[in-house]
Amino acid sequence: MTPKELTQEEVKGLFEYKDGILYWKTRPSNSTKAGSIAGYINNPSGYIKTTIKGRLLLNHRIIFLYHNGYLPNRIDHIDGNITNNKIENLREVTHSQNLQNTKTPSNNKSGIKGVSWSKHASKWYAQIRLKGRVVFSKYFTELSDAAEAVKQARIKYHGEFANHG
């Protein structure tokens, strides 16, 4: 069973939803009681997952189906917190929009998303992509100037999906 094979009716029969958390309506196994919280944080992904009929499913996808009656290809956590599964924090997105809302990578040495040090130019390099294409690219002497420029470009090109950190 894939999440797409589940229906809204089935999900509503299995769970009760309250403030981003799913609770079992029935007793799915001998070790789980009705009324208990469904799911656990799956490391290393960090997403909350629940087993339904032997299949591990992402809780945010179950919640989206519960409220909207369908499952899109991609669902984004608006605030970037993958454990915040409140329905108002979930939205359908394209692959490109999902990438726009990512946080600064942990290996980023500048500490600013979209800004890196260019050894060959000996300057800070700011870059923004949209749908896989570079739409903003510029060198700066000062890190603060690069940070502000990339922030403004992100607002311009990524709009509501802009994530600055």
Side-chain angles (χ1 to χ4, degrees), residues 45-117:
S45 75
Y47 286 96
I48 300 171
K49 296 184 178 185
T50 295
T51 302
I52 302 174
K53 298 180 183 177
R55 298 301 275 278
L56 201 55
L57 304 174
L58 298 166
N59 277 27
H60 68 278
R61 294 188 62 77
I62 298 168
I63 290 168
F64 193 94
L65 175 61
Y66 184 101
H67 287 278
N68 296 295
Y70 74 99
L71 272 174
N73 288 331
R74 287 187 176 78
I75 300 170
D76 180 45
H77 289 82
I78 297 168
D79 68 2
N81 176 356
I82 61 173
T83 61
N84 179 0
N85 290 328
K86 292 181 179 179
I87 191 59
E88 56 271 13
N89 190 46
L90 303 176
R91 64 183 167 190
E92 180 177 3
V93 293
T94 65
H95 178 65
S96 179
Q97 290 166 335
N98 204 25
L99 291 173
Q100 293 166 26
N101 193 29
T102 58
K103 293 183 179 182
T104 305
S106 60
N107 64 349
N108 179 304
K109 293 180 182 171
S110 73
I112 300 159
K113 184 178 171 183
V115 177
S116 59
W117 179 253

Side-chain angles (χ1 to χ4, degrees), residues 7 47 163:
T7 66
Y47 286 96
N163 185 324

